[in-house]
Amino acid sequence: MPISRTVSFRPMWPAGADPGRLRAALLAGFLGFTLMLAANGPTTALDATVRTPVPEKGFRSGRDALRSGVRDYNAGDKQGAVRALEYAADQGQTLALWKLGRMYASGDGVPQDDLKAFEYFTRIADDTTDDAPDTPNSGVLASAFNALGTYFLEGIKGTYVRPNPERAYEMFNYAASYFGDPNAQYNLARLYLEGTGVEQDPRKAARWFNLAAEKGHRPAQALLGDLLVNGTGMPRQTVKGLTWLALARAGVQGSSDAWIVDLYDKAWASASEGDRADAMAQAQSLSTGSTRRRR
């Protein structure tokens, strides 16, 4: 999926949320993939010329350089990790491209540089048109498309990357539909809810929120619950809405989720005792079933 030079990476923050904390959570979301040793096939790369020259270090292959970069990173040698990962990235290692994108996006061992991050993610997008959604790399690929979507929303100040909500929609829609990524499904739902880059449609928003909510995505659970409780653009479903809000409330982690608590408290206070009891019973059943499936 070739990407034009009009993009951006800024997440859609829920109302009342702390963008700094949520950005950190988003950037950390796929750190487990740094232990994967995945390879992608040859494809057509985008123009991403801003790279640090990589000296030869005797790597036998791109995969060998990737292994070295992962080892250096985990050992705290970020400079050595970048050198090895850049070599691996130039050899077509998708995970190396992704990891470098995350490092530059968050300033992790390198100067923070959204444009470099964007260009690494773009190379992944341009190189993965034939990757199946169930490949070992699927989580990394979905993460890259989701990052590009967020960059498209606001652009990158002082660069050629301009705000392009329609392109953001395309990125989120691809990651949400093809890879089934819950973060992309949530971001796509927000676009439909707010009418950003697409015609406003609360029903479509609810459907995408529901897909992410069923995968345990707390913000999606909270906003889906709020839509159902208030009957926004659809018939009101109080018990079902309270159930999703209760599940989201149970998974709250720190002050960044304070907005979820606020939505829950407001809905709970206005609900009848019977609706609250039914919702708690359903939430308990769903939570228990989810735990059994994970086992």
Side-chain angles (χ1 to χ4, degrees):
M1 176 179 287
I3 309 300
S4 70
R5 297 174 71 92
T6 49
V7 199
S8 104
F9 167 63
R10 292 290 189 280
M12 302 184 66
W13 310 128
D18 181 343
R21 291 177 180 269
L22 286 177
R23 182 178 293 107
L26 175 62
L27 293 174
F30 284 93
L31 285 180
F33 286 108
T34 57
L35 298 179
M36 294 169 52
L37 297 175
N40 70 314
T43 51
T44 303
L46 178 75
D47 176 17
T49 57
V50 184
R51 304 180 200 165
T52 302
V54 182
E56 282 289 344
K57 191 181 176 182
F59 299 121
R60 294 187 299 274
S61 64
R63 184 177 290 273
D64 180 52
L66 175 58
R67 291 192 185 99
S68 179
V70 170
R71 285 195 300 268
D72 288 346
Y73 182 89
N74 291 336
D77 180 7
K78 303 291 180 68
Q79 188 174 16
V82 169
R83 286 196 297 268
L85 291 171
E86 285 177 339
Y87 180 88
D90 286 340
Q91 299 303 307
Q93 293 292 318
T94 301
L95 181 57
L97 289 166
W98 175 84
K99 184 57 182 173
L100 286 166
R102 287 302 185 192
M103 291 176 75
Y104 278 106
S106 61
D108 181 13
V110 294
Q112 197 277 335
D113 190 328
D114 279 329
L115 183 59
K116 275 193 174 184
F118 166 74
E119 291 182 334
Y120 278 119
F121 293 135
T122 298
R123 288 171 64 188
I124 294 174
D126 280 353
D127 287 354
T128 55
T129 53
D130 296 326
D131 285 71
D134 56 351
T135 61
N137 270 352
S138 61
V140 169
L141 304 182
S143 175
F145 277 98
N146 197 47
L148 288 171
T150 54
Y151 274 124
F152 268 118
L153 286 177
E154 296 179 12
I156 302 175
K157 188 176 181 180
T159 74
Y160 63 81
V161 181
R162 299 289 184 263
N164 191 331
E166 291 76 17
R167 205 74 171 105
Y169 168 81
E170 292 176 5
M171 297 296 102
F172 290 142
N173 187 56
Y174 184 72
S177 303
Y178 191 68
F179 294 107
D181 179 69
N183 290 317
Q185 289 169 342
Y186 169 77
N187 284 330
L188 184 60
R190 289 294 304 267
L191 295 184
Y192 277 115
L193 183 62
E194 299 169 3
T196 302
V198 67
E199 185 176 351
Q200 189 174 31
D201 191 331
R203 287 180 177 272
K204 286 186 178 179
R207 285 198 290 270
W208 285 110
F209 278 140
N210 189 77
L211 289 172
E214 289 179 342
K215 297 169 184 172
H217 195 285
R218 287 193 313 281
Q221 291 172 339
L223 291 182
L224 175 60
D226 188 61
L227 285 176
L228 294 173
V229 166
N230 292 300
T232 304
M234 66 196 74
R236 182 173 295 163
Q237 300 178 59
T238 303
V239 173
K240 189 173 182 179
L242 291 172
T243 299
W244 283 119
L245 282 166
L247 288 169
R249 176 66 179 85
V252 163
Q253 298 179 358
S255 59
S256 64
D257 284 341
W259 66 276
I260 294 178
V261 177
D262 291 342
L263 287 181
Y264 170 87
D265 288 345
K266 181 179 179 181
W268 217 252
S270 61
S272 68
E273 184 175 346
D275 285 345
R276 289 197 296 264
D278 289 344
M280 287 304 296
Q282 291 186 24
Q284 180 63 36
S285 176
L286 288 172
S287 179
T288 301
S290 177
T291 300
R292 287 175 178 168
R293 285 193 296 273
R294 288 196 297 270
R295 290 176 181 171

